[in-house]
Amino acid sequence: VGRAWGSQGMEAAAGSCRAPLPAWWGLLRGLLLAVLAAGSCQGNSVERKIYIPLNKTAPCVRLLNATHQIGCQSSISGDTGVIHVVEKEEDLNWVLADGPHPPYMILLDGSLFNRRVMLQLKGTSRVSGLAVAIAKPSPPQGFSPGLKCPNDGFGVYSKDYGPQFAHCNKTVWNPVGSGLSYEDFDFPIFLLEDANETQVIKQCYQDHNVPRDGSGPEYPLCAMQLFSHMHAVTSTVTCMRRSSLQSTFSINPEVVCDPLLDYNVWSTLQPINSSGKVDPEKEVIIVATRIDSHSFFWNIAPGAESAVSSFVTHLAAAEALHKVSDVHLLQRNIMFTFFQGETFDYIGSSRMVYDMEKDKFPLRLDNIHSFVELNQVALRNDSILWMHTDPVSRMNGSIEAQVRNLLDILSNSSVGASVTLQEAGYSQPLPPSSFQRFLRARHIPGVVLTDHKTAFQNRYYQSMYDTPENIRMQYPEGLSPEETLEYVTDTAKSLAEVATVVARALYRLAGGANNTSVIQADPKTVSRMLYGFLIKMNNSWFQSIIKPDIKGILGDVPQHYVAVSSPVNTTYLVQYVLANLTGTVVNLTKEECLNPEKTPSSEKEMYEYAWVQGSLDPNSTSRVPFCVRSTVHLSKALSPAFELRQWGSTEYSTWTESRWKEIRARIFLVASRELEIITLVVGIAILIFSLLATYFINAKADVLFSIPRDPGAVAY
């Protein structure tokens, strides 16, 4: 309209008999433009008045493997529904049958977030989405959305190898596992992480949605909208094929899914050439653990018992061994290995085995003397640690003798300690463990150490409740963050004892002959690691041991999901903690540390160098950086299925994560359908009237806005 009026004004000014437009016309035009500009500037303000965003949420996202899709998603424009709070099972009747305003968005109490309830909601069209409030305290009966038989089909046991142990026929390792994480839901499910936001939703529900005397509430109603549309569908085979075709034929390819991937972290007690090959006659003992976990919700994976307890113990044992004076004289080398992606069908371990078989790793399978794995170790009964071995490979006489020697050394190393090691039993199969992937390739003597003889002690395996409280971490009230970091908990003392026993056993296994009583894990170091990996990553110790350019990885709440962007925070931190505990501070400048190949004595092929931030100078706000030399390396943890482009593989993990455009949640008040229709009709009517009025004014502008001629200017 403004542009039409402007053109008429220019025509008037150009006419021979037209006088210039009056000043009030320019004022009117300027005022109109100002109003339009102000309206556009206030758009965001109007949105803020309508919607309340929920900023502390975690979505359930879609994952895919060779045959299935699991997880959740919303429609492409998000899903909306009237909020109904469900705090007891009876409340579900309103959602499933009685409520007059479907579809509903359910605010579900965490204690009801179980398979039975979820399958009821999955089977109805009256539910458009779900927001789950964390149960506090954790459900006493336990909660595990994982499988009863984790990583089934990708371990060593099959119809060809120990069929009596395949598919957990002998032992159900995770009896509380509901398999909920492996279901496919066609509506969005979000976790509410902030109790304050949960309370805001409940208050909105109380104010507007509570049924009155058994009848439906009056409009306006409180509603919720969840956005979590996923791009990938069906399976990894389908989504990877689509992504591959896009990459081949499109200038701007749209990738719809990505493989789960990261890096394994490994180091050796005695340095080896990481770019070469270890001599065939050189024997190496592998000590292994996993560093990833999982839960129903994306990037919510505290993993206190399932991952952190074991890799923290592993790190403490590595530190204790590196302090021994004669480690460079040991007959056998020791490799400390931290596998990433093990939750998803052994991504990290299967890749390392593959690389060893293809001569893409410094070690070969033939170099492995024995294998010791730390699994879940924090929830011991009567301080007993169970030693699990493979009954099938032990049928070989040579393997049996080596396994027996390994068990004896471990048992003897626990003498005098507060930890007792016992054998789980000759007929007991291995629990889910990385060791199984090595056994698939070659018979290797090995043992898996756990706090359970049969079923897991961990009642919250692969869940959001596998938190510090689950492994009984307790701190006195009133401690500052720095005091909490340094406080030695009973859990730290307990895990330090396990690390001590493991370190002493490894020393003996490697050929050490000296008294092992001097080998002692440090409970204070264990305390720091537990605090950093479970409570707060952004602490003074972690800040001091990482490179300045990656300090952004130090978030507040630690999570240990493998993800698709690498390396993730956990991988970086395990790498630098291991370097700090086992490496050496060397007298190099920053330039020399960042470019060690320029220093003749650096032995770059044997060591890795890192210029780290260092601690804060007590007398200033600046840090004192230094150079650390270590044998810590990273190796790729990407399933061989993606290297081989075998996306339907049954041999290797095929897990991928769907891509998405946006993840967000918000609540607002919604009017009745009748009022919405009336508003729409009135709006259309006003629009039509405005168009007609504009057309009329534009057509008659020369009449409406013409200026009478000055009588004195008439020509004769």
Side-chain angles (χ1 to χ4, degrees):
V1 175
R3 286 195 295 271
W5 286 353
S7 63
Q8 293 288 341
M10 285 188 288
E11 290 175 12
S16 59
C17 298
R18 299 273 180 92
L21 287 177
W24 63 264
W25 165 242
L27 262 161
L28 177 63
R29 184 182 174 204
L31 182 61
L32 178 62
L33 291 174
V35 168
L36 290 173
S40 65
C41 293
Q42 292 296 319
N44 288 335
S45 176
V46 171
E47 181 178 356
R48 285 196 297 270
K49 290 177 180 177
I50 297 174
Y51 299 104
I52 299 177
L54 304 174
N55 299 316
K56 294 281 288 182
T57 61
C60 160
V61 303
R62 176 168 289 166
L63 301 175
L64 310 98
N65 65 9
T67 56
H68 292 80
Q69 65 179 30
I70 64 172
C72 323
Q73 78 153 354
S74 74
S75 62
I76 194 167
S77 57
D79 288 328
T80 304
V82 174
I83 295 171
H84 190 74
V85 176
V86 175
E87 296 180 326
K88 53 186 183 297
E89 283 203 48
E90 293 75 22
D91 296 336
L92 288 173
N93 294 332
W94 185 266
V95 172
L96 299 176
D98 302 336
H101 305 120
Y104 285 96
M105 278 282 176
I106 298 175
L107 174 56
L108 187 69
D109 188 86
S111 61
L112 295 176
F113 185 55
N114 56 56
R115 184 179 181 85
R116 181 166 49 80
V117 170
M118 291 303 297
L119 291 186
Q120 286 186 66
L121 302 179
K122 183 179 179 180
T124 177
S125 61
R126 290 174 59 89
V127 174
S128 60
L130 202 66
V132 180
I134 296 178
K136 291 185 178 181
S138 302
Q141 72 277 14
F143 174 76
S144 173
L147 299 172
K148 292 183 183 294
C149 190
N151 292 357
D152 186 23
F154 290 86
V156 69
Y157 302 114
S158 65
K159 61 182 178 60
D160 301 318
Y161 188 100
Q164 68 274 31
F165 305 124
H167 312 300
C168 296
N169 287 335
K170 180 76 174 180
T171 305
V172 177
W173 296 106
N174 186 30
V176 298
S178 65
L180 196 59
S181 289
Y182 296 84
E183 290 287 335
D184 183 39
F185 296 92
D186 60 0
F187 53 78
I189 304 176
F190 279 53
L191 177 69
L192 300 174
E193 299 182 74
D194 187 347
N196 292 329
E197 289 189 344
T198 303
Q199 191 55 45
V200 167
I201 299 171
K202 287 184 176 181
Q203 188 60 53
C204 187
Y205 167 79
Q206 291 288 339
D207 292 343
H208 299 279
N209 294 13
V210 174
R212 309 295 179 187
D213 301 322
S215 61
E218 298 292 331
Y219 283 100
L221 298 175
C222 191
M224 182 184 296
Q225 190 172 30
L226 302 178
F227 297 84
S228 63
H229 181 68
M230 300 289 131
H231 294 175
V233 295
T234 308
S235 67
T236 289
V237 176
T238 301
C239 78
M240 289 299 292
R241 184 177 67 244
R242 289 177 179 175
S243 297
S244 178
L245 288 172
Q246 285 271 343
S247 301
T248 303
F249 297 108
S250 175
I251 298 175
N252 298 307
E254 182 181 347
V255 177
V256 296
C257 68
D258 301 282
L260 296 182
L261 64 96
D262 204 75
Y263 288 89
N264 298 322
V265 182
W266 64 276
S267 74
T268 52
L269 194 61
Q270 301 164 355
I272 62 173
N273 187 341
S274 60
S275 59
K277 291 289 179 290
V278 174
D279 293 336
E281 65 276 5
K282 182 66 175 177
E283 293 182 322
V284 178
I285 302 161
I286 292 185
V287 194
T289 191
R290 68 174 59 190
I291 58 175
D292 69 297
S293 187
H294 179 46
S295 81
F296 186 87
F297 298 99
W298 182 76
N299 205 30
I300 300 295
E305 162 73 341
S306 60
V308 177
S309 68
S310 57
F311 74 69
V312 161
T313 304
H314 188 169
L315 289 164
E319 180 193 33
L321 272 172
H322 271 268
K323 290 179 178 178
V324 180
S325 59
D326 63 337
V327 290
H328 61 288
L329 302 175
L330 293 177
Q331 175 187 349
R332 302 181 184 94
N333 203 349
I334 299 174
M335 184 169 107
F336 306 101
T337 313
F338 301 82
F339 291 121
Q340 184 61 278
E342 295 300 274
T343 302
F344 295 95
D345 299 335
Y346 306 118
I347 293 174
S349 55
S350 63
R351 180 52 187 261
M352 184 171 284
V353 171
Y354 175 82
D355 287 344
M356 288 181 176
E357 291 177 322
K358 302 298 181 184
D359 280 342
K360 296 180 179 180
F361 195 78
L363 267 67
R364 302 176 180 87
L365 290 170
D366 292 339
N367 292 116
I368 301 174
H369 169 268
S370 52
F371 199 104
V372 177
E373 180 170 352
L374 285 161
N375 212 307
Q376 304 178 78
V377 295
L379 299 176
R380 302 189 305 280
N381 279 337
D382 301 324
S383 298
I384 297 175
L385 206 59
W386 295 98
M387 301 181 290
H388 299 263
T389 57
D390 173 40
V392 179
S393 60
R394 289 180 69 178
M395 294 178 184
N396 179 299
S398 173
I399 296 294
E400 165 63 19
Q402 294 177 74
V403 170
R404 178 49 54 193
N405 178 57
L406 176 56
L407 295 172
D408 290 342
I409 289 175
L410 281 164
S411 297
N412 293 335
S413 298
S414 67
V415 174
S418 62
V419 179
T420 304
L421 272 72
Q422 292 186 16
E423 188 176 353
Y426 188 86
S427 61
Q428 177 81 14
L430 287 169
S433 52
S434 306
F435 181 39
Q436 293 199 32
R437 290 303 302 194
F438 284 79
L439 281 176
R440 281 178 74 129
R442 183 175 179 270
H443 280 179
I444 299 170
V447 62
V448 178
L449 302 177
T450 73
D451 55 20
H452 55 88
K453 182 179 181 180
T454 52
F456 295 162
Q457 296 276 18
N458 186 5
R459 294 172 298 140
Y460 305 108
Y461 183 73
Q462 289 186 7
S463 93
M464 54 192 170
Y465 300 114
D466 192 6
T467 57
E469 291 77 18
N470 186 34
I471 59 172
R472 304 166 190 145
M473 280 178 62
Q474 295 179 335
Y475 295 93
E477 292 184 4
L479 295 183
S480 67
E482 202 63 29
E483 291 170 336
T484 310
L485 172 68
E486 301 294 338
Y487 182 81
V488 180
T489 62
D490 290 339
T491 302
K493 295 174 185 175
S494 174
L495 293 179
E497 285 284 350
V498 176
T500 297
V501 170
V502 171
R504 291 174 179 177
L506 291 173
Y507 176 77
R508 285 279 184 240
L509 201 58
N514 291 339
N515 187 355
T516 59
S517 62
V518 297
I519 302 176
Q520 187 72 46
D522 185 3
K524 187 172 182 179
T525 301
V526 176
S527 281
R528 286 178 163 189
M529 290 191 286
L530 288 174
Y531 179 81
F533 285 114
L534 286 175
I535 296 176
K536 188 177 183 182
M537 279 187 170
N538 194 12
N539 61 74
S540 60
W541 185 48
F542 278 5
Q543 290 168 8
S544 69
I545 63 175
I546 64 171
K547 291 181 177 180
D549 58 338
I550 62 167
K551 60 186 179 182
I553 68 170
L554 297 177
D556 279 337
V557 182
Q559 305 296 345
H560 307 294
Y561 173 61
V562 58
V564 296
S565 57
S566 57
V568 295
N569 318 33
T570 306
T571 303
Y572 270 130
L573 289 170
V574 168
Q575 177 189 6
Y576 286 105
V577 168
L578 184 59
N580 178 268
L581 298 180
T582 64
T584 306
V585 177
V586 290
N587 187 23
L588 294 178
T589 65
K590 180 179 180 180
E591 178 66 24
E592 292 170 334
C593 191
L594 296 176
N595 302 282
E597 65 278 359
K598 296 180 181 179
T599 305
S601 60
S602 67
E603 297 181 284
K604 179 68 174 69
E605 67 281 357
M606 307 293 281
Y607 296 100
E608 292 288 330
Y609 291 80
W611 185 259
V612 300
Q613 290 193 122
S615 302
L616 285 170
D617 189 323
N619 300 318
S620 72
T621 57
S622 61
R623 295 186 176 274
V624 184
F626 54 91
C627 185
V628 175
R629 184 186 72 182
S630 71
T631 61
V632 180
H633 306 275
L634 299 180
S635 66
K636 191 177 290 186
L638 169 67
S639 172
F642 299 100
E643 293 279 318
L644 302 169
R645 295 176 68 85
Q646 295 176 358
W647 303 320
S649 173
T650 57
E651 171 72 13
Y652 299 112
S653 171
T654 55
W655 285 105
T656 54
E657 180 185 273
S658 174
R659 289 197 178 186
W660 57 81
K661 184 178 181 181
E662 63 175 345
I663 299 286
R664 61 191 175 101
R666 60 189 184 181
I667 64 172
F668 56 96
L669 293 182
V670 61
S672 67
R673 182 58 56 88
E674 293 79 7
L675 181 58
E676 288 178 341
I677 292 173
I678 292 171
T679 304
L680 177 63
V681 170
V682 171
I684 293 173
I686 292 173
L687 174 63
I688 294 171
F689 175 78
S690 301
L691 292 173
L692 291 173
T694 302
Y695 175 78
F696 173 76
I697 294 172
N698 190 49
K700 301 296 182 180
D702 55 339
V703 176
L704 294 172
F705 302 109
S706 61
I707 306 298
R709 293 180 181 179
D710 186 355
V714 176
Y716 293 94

